[in-house]
């Protein structure tokens, strides 16, 4: 193993929209500042992701000062959306968690999202991540909370593990789909300079001056088969993960992290394995 370092940082201002790469990011208890504080919900108030709407891969959201977003997507006029002034909340279903969120003010944002996806949608904001949604108690310490991410504040992946996975894909029946880029896995932080799959054995890591607890390995879903440029789906990496990276009933790649304190991380920061 070489000298592990933070290669890249990614946030997703609207859940399921494409990621934004940053040079530095503030680490908050529930994740990176600006990451997944907004989401779309359907007519039943269930959170909407690329699982059911792969076209979301082509939608983008620029994070604005104060927490608002500027939405853009193919065929759509860009739209700026401010953090809601209202405080009325709607019970939102985030993979079985009931989370109170605040709908965007007025109709413009909801109309924009509904038009793009061709189905009734609302854009909602998580106003108080410190109180709204606890981390899964099976893997949490008391008081830990999370944004509108799938389940944990941050997702870490490594370039060495992606290289190893792409080598396996190249020898398989769907080799033409590879090599896959890292954005298929929608990480927050990407680490270089490790051995392949070294992160499987980590329990605590420090990135710069910030320490993180490794909560659990990340189980992967059909979103990883979605080309983040086109929204088109294939078979990989799930076919190869199913053969080589199956843990119990999950196909796994990457590790879920919980911050143990606040701070700022920057690309190039050293990554130290503490346990």
């Amino acid at each position: 193993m070489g000298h592990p370092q933070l290669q890249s940082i990614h946030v997703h201002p609207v859940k399921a929209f494409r990621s934004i790469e940053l040079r530095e990011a503030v680490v908050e208890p529930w994740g990176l500042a600006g990451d997944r504080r907004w989401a779309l919900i359907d007519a039943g108030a269930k959170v909407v992701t690329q699982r059911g709407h792969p076209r979301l891969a082509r939608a983008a959201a620029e994070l604005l000062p104060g927490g608002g977003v500027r939405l853009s997507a193919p065929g759509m006029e860009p739209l700026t959306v401010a953090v809601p002034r209202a405080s009325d909340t709607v019970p939102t279903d985030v993979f079985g968690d009931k989370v109170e969120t605040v709908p965007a003010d007025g109709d413009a944002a909801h109309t924009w999202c509904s038009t793009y996806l061709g189905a009734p949608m609302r854009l909602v904001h998580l106003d108080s991540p410190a109180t709204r949604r606890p981390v899964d108690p099976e893997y949490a310490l008391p008081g830990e909370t999370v944004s509108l991410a799938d389940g944990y504040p941050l997702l870490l992946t490594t370039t060495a593990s992606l290289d190893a996975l792409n080598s396996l894909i190249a020898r398989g029946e769907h080799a033409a789909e590879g090599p896959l880029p890292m954005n298929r896995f929608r990480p927050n932080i990407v680490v270089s300079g490790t051995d392949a799959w070294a992160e499987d054995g980590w329990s605590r890591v420090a990135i710069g001056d910030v320490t993180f607890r490794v909560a659990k390995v990340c189980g992967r879903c059909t979103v990883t088969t979605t080309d983040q440029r086109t929204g088109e789906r294939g078979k990989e990496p799930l076919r190869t993960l199913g053969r080589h990276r199956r843990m119990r009933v999950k196909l796994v790649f990457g590790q879920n992290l919980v911050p143990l304190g606040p701070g700022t991380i920057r690309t190039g920061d050293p990554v130290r394995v503490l346990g």
Side-chain angles (χ1 to χ4, degrees):
M1 185 171 72
H3 299 285
Q5 67 175 25
L6 179 55
Q7 176 171 294
S8 60
I9 303 169
H10 308 265
V11 298
H12 313 76
V14 178
K15 183 179 179 66
F17 283 33
R18 70 175 53 172
S19 68
I20 296 174
E21 186 168 350
L22 303 176
R23 296 286 300 276
E24 65 177 50
V26 173
V27 180
E28 299 173 331
W30 42 84
L32 298 182
D35 188 53
R36 297 177 172 99
R37 291 287 296 276
W38 296 84
L40 273 59
I41 59 173
D42 63 17
K46 286 189 175 183
V47 74
V48 173
T49 74
Q50 290 184 29
R51 292 168 178 81
H53 294 275
R55 290 190 75 213
L56 287 171
R58 303 188 69 196
E62 176 189 354
L63 190 63
L64 303 177
V69 286
R70 181 171 170 81
L71 309 179
S72 60
M76 303 292 294
E77 287 293 324
L79 179 69
T80 297
V81 185
V83 171
R85 296 184 301 272
S87 57
D88 293 336
T89 61
V90 57
T92 299
D93 184 341
V94 186
F95 305 122
D97 293 341
K98 293 298 183 183
V99 183
E100 296 294 329
T101 62
V102 183
D105 292 330
D107 295 326
H110 311 309
T111 299
W112 192 98
C113 297
S114 299
T115 300
Y116 181 61
L117 290 184
M121 297 286 161
R122 284 182 289 173
L123 180 67
V124 297
H125 181 255
L126 183 65
D127 61 337
S128 180
T131 61
R132 295 294 191 197
R133 185 184 179 209
V135 173
D136 181 348
E138 185 175 351
Y139 298 98
L141 298 178
E144 291 179 342
T145 62
V146 60
S147 66
L148 297 174
D150 280 8
Y152 298 88
L154 291 95
L155 173 64
L156 174 149
T157 59
T158 68
T159 57
S161 295
L162 179 62
D163 290 345
L165 178 61
N166 276 324
S167 293
L168 294 170
I169 291 172
R171 299 198 292 269
E173 60 187 299
H174 299 287
E177 291 188 28
L180 301 182
M182 189 66 85
N183 65 9
R184 289 290 188 96
F185 301 94
R186 300 178 63 77
N188 294 112
I189 49 183
V190 179
V191 174
S192 60
T194 72
D195 292 335
W197 316 120
E199 64 274 20
D200 288 349
W202 298 351
S203 59
R204 289 172 72 238
V205 296
I207 300 175
D209 296 327
V210 184
T211 302
F212 300 87
R213 180 175 68 82
V214 181
K216 67 182 288 289
V217 70
C218 184
R220 309 313 308 217
C221 70
T222 188
V223 172
T224 59
T225 69
T226 307
D227 187 315
Q228 296 296 298
R229 293 177 300 106
T230 66
E232 296 176 355
R233 288 224 167 110
K235 300 294 185 182
E236 294 293 358
L238 292 186
R239 285 290 179 90
T240 298
L241 291 175
R243 292 190 174 99
H244 300 278
R245 295 284 297 168
R246 185 182 293 274
M247 294 186 183
R248 299 177 185 170
V249 298
K250 297 287 188 181
L251 312 183
V252 301
F253 186 92
Q255 297 287 337
N256 291 298
L257 305 186
V258 181
L260 294 179
T264 299
I265 57 174
R266 300 172 177 87
T267 55
D269 276 350
V271 176
R272 293 171 292 127
V273 179
L274 305 177

